[in-house]
């Protein structure tokens, strides 16, 4: 089944609502063949203070900004809507706790020069795979949560 932009978006939003924390050990699936998990130290060094660009099947899906010196993150979807939240790491999952949508967990993996973001424990026959295509200094219109 080939996912269109709208079905991919709906699947992503469904995933956000479905997951409620790090996936249990029995739900840990292997990384895509040939890919290796990105250690949290490497991920943090790469993303702090940066905005990442994600694509699904070549189509823009979202921009995500990591606020320096914190675990705050903002996600701006391709339609311009934003979610704010925090993130943490519990091997092998990076979990994002969104202010409105709940928790979503992913594996971040490197395959050659590509960085893939793989959904965790959804049980779907077509896993959501995002490709991180850029790391920029461009800020989002979203603002970090007020603490």
């Amino acid at each position: 089944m080939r996912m269109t932009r709208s079905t991919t978006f709906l699947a992503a939003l469904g995933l956000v609502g479905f997951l409620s924390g790090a996936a249990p050990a029995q739900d840990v699936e292997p990384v895509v063949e040939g890919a290796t998990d990105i250690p949290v130290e490497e991920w943090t060094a790469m993303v702090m203070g940066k905005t990442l660009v994600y694509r699904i099947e070549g189509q823009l899906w979202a921009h995500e900004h990591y606020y320096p010196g914190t675990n705050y993150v903002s996600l701006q979807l391709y339609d311009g809507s934003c979610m704010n939240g925090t993130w943490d790491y519990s091997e092998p999952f990076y979990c994002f706790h969104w202010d409105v949508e709940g928790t979503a967990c992913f594996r971040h993996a490197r395959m050659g020069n590509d960085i893939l973001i793989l959904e965790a424990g959804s049980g779907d026959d077509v896993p959501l795979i995002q490709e991180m295509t850029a790391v920029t200094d461009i800020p989002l219109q979203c603002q970090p949560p007020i603490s």
Side-chain angles (χ1 to χ4, degrees):
M1 174 175 129
R2 182 164 173 80
M3 296 182 77
T4 65
R5 188 176 196 180
S6 61
T7 60
T8 300
F9 177 71
L10 293 174
L13 288 180
L15 174 67
V16 167
F18 172 77
L19 295 171
S20 61
Q26 67 267 22
D27 289 339
V28 174
E29 297 174 10
V31 174
V32 172
E33 188 174 332
T36 57
D37 285 320
I38 298 173
V40 68
E41 298 81 13
E42 180 183 341
W43 182 258
T44 303
M46 180 174 41
V47 304
M48 276 301 135
K50 303 292 184 182
T51 297
L52 313 181
V53 178
Y54 296 106
R55 296 184 180 279
I56 298 175
E57 295 183 356
Q59 298 293 313
L60 177 64
W61 185 75
H63 293 98
E64 182 177 58
H65 184 78
Y66 288 78
Y67 296 94
T70 73
N71 68 334
Y72 291 134
V73 62
S74 291
L75 183 73
Q76 186 173 22
L77 298 171
Y78 67 89
D79 67 358
S81 63
C82 293
M83 293 190 287
N84 294 305
T86 60
W87 72 279
D88 58 45
Y89 179 75
S90 180
E91 190 175 357
F93 296 105
Y94 293 82
C95 291
F96 298 84
H97 312 284
W98 301 111
D99 53 1
V100 177
E101 300 295 332
T103 298
C105 298
F106 302 88
R107 291 177 85 162
H108 296 175
R110 186 179 303 282
M111 189 163 79
N113 292 328
D114 296 331
I115 295 178
L116 305 177
I117 310 304
L118 311 161
E119 69 179 324
S122 73
D124 291 340
D125 60 340
V126 178
L128 177 66
I129 299 176
Q130 303 169 46
E131 183 178 1
M132 189 183 80
T133 58
V135 178
T136 74
D137 291 322
I138 300 170
L140 299 182
Q141 298 303 313
C142 307
Q143 298 298 316
I146 297 172
S147 57

